[in-house]
Amino acid sequence: MPPPPAVLSVAVLGNRVFISSSNKGPFADQGAIFCLDADTGAVSWKYEPRNFRATFSSPSVSSNYLVCGEGLHYTRDARITCLKITEKGHDFLWDYRTKSHVESSAAIYDGHAYIGAGDDGLYCIALEPGPGNKPNVVWHLEGTNYPDCEASPIAADGKVYFCLGLGGKAVVCADAKTGREIWRTPASFPVFVHP
């Protein structure tokens, strides 16, 4: 069976294509992450845990890690999920519950995932889990100072760049290791684009 319609971007690693999808309606709120064979389009595997909700987050893939968000705009307790891609499929590494939706896609940089969580701000989470296989949140820029963090960030040269929408109206640069704000440029309107 083919995956349901998607409204986001794909990620490619070798001969595999990764995409998340949404089934959202009055009586449906369901999502999944699919791995497709790049040569045939056949579904190689599907990650669809219990109660995984519809999402606009595109999977981000680096090396053998895949990070994807969950939830649409009114979701208040979305997940950030990290899988390890294997020869035969995938292994679950961790997931982390936020206090808002995760429409952002992750920037994977230097062993960490940087991802926006709407009105819950921006997270930096180590790709490898911590003790007890729990997610290792390195830092979190709270939504009170970084609201409507929906656009996907980018990280390079020790910095992470991200945008703030309705509540924030700015472009922000932070230190990738500590989360310390380096600069913030206010905008006249909400910034929903990806840097």
Side-chain angles (χ1 to χ4, degrees):
M1 173 176 16
V7 290
L8 24 88
S9 302
V10 300
V12 178
L13 180 66
N15 70 332
R16 292 178 281 189
V17 177
F18 302 92
I19 190 161
S20 55
S21 63
S22 300
N23 180 15
K24 181 73 173 166
F27 303 106
D29 189 3
Q30 187 177 18
I33 301 167
F34 289 85
C35 174
L36 309 178
D37 184 291
D39 298 320
T40 66
V43 176
S44 299
W45 54 261
K46 174 171 68 166
Y47 177 76
E48 188 178 26
R50 186 169 175 246
N51 298 324
F52 193 77
R53 290 167 287 194
T55 181
F56 282 146
S57 177
S58 300
S60 296
V61 177
S62 179
S63 183
N64 57 342
Y65 296 96
L66 181 150
V67 178
C68 193
E70 170 202 50
L72 302 178
H73 200 69
Y74 295 105
T75 306
R76 292 286 164 232
D77 60 342
R79 279 178 277 202
I80 300 166
T81 297
C82 183
L83 306 176
K84 186 169 263 190
I85 301 164
T86 66
E87 284 292 322
K88 296 183 179 180
H90 66 279
D91 292 329
F92 171 81
L93 282 183
W94 52 261
D95 64 18
Y96 182 81
R97 287 269 182 198
T98 69
K99 295 177 185 160
S100 190
H101 55 280
V102 184
E103 294 177 357
S104 164
S105 298
I108 297 178
Y109 173 72
D110 198 24
H112 299 82
Y114 301 86
I115 190 165
D119 286 329
D120 194 20
L122 186 80
Y123 282 88
C124 170
I125 306 175
L127 293 173
E128 280 296 318
N133 288 327
K134 302 284 186 194
N136 180 10
V137 177
V138 178
W139 51 259
H140 173 213
L141 300 180
E142 306 244 352
T144 48
N145 294 321
Y146 301 92
D148 209 19
C149 189
E150 295 181 2
S152 303
I154 191 166
D157 299 326
K159 298 179 179 73
V160 59
Y161 304 89
F162 59 99
C163 301
L164 303 175
L166 290 171
K169 297 181 185 171
V171 180
V172 183
C173 173
D175 183 276
K177 286 189 177 178
T178 65
R180 178 185 60 83
E181 184 176 311
I182 297 170
W183 53 257
R184 178 188 299 228
T185 301
S188 301
F189 301 99
V191 186
F192 293 118
V193 297
H194 314 304

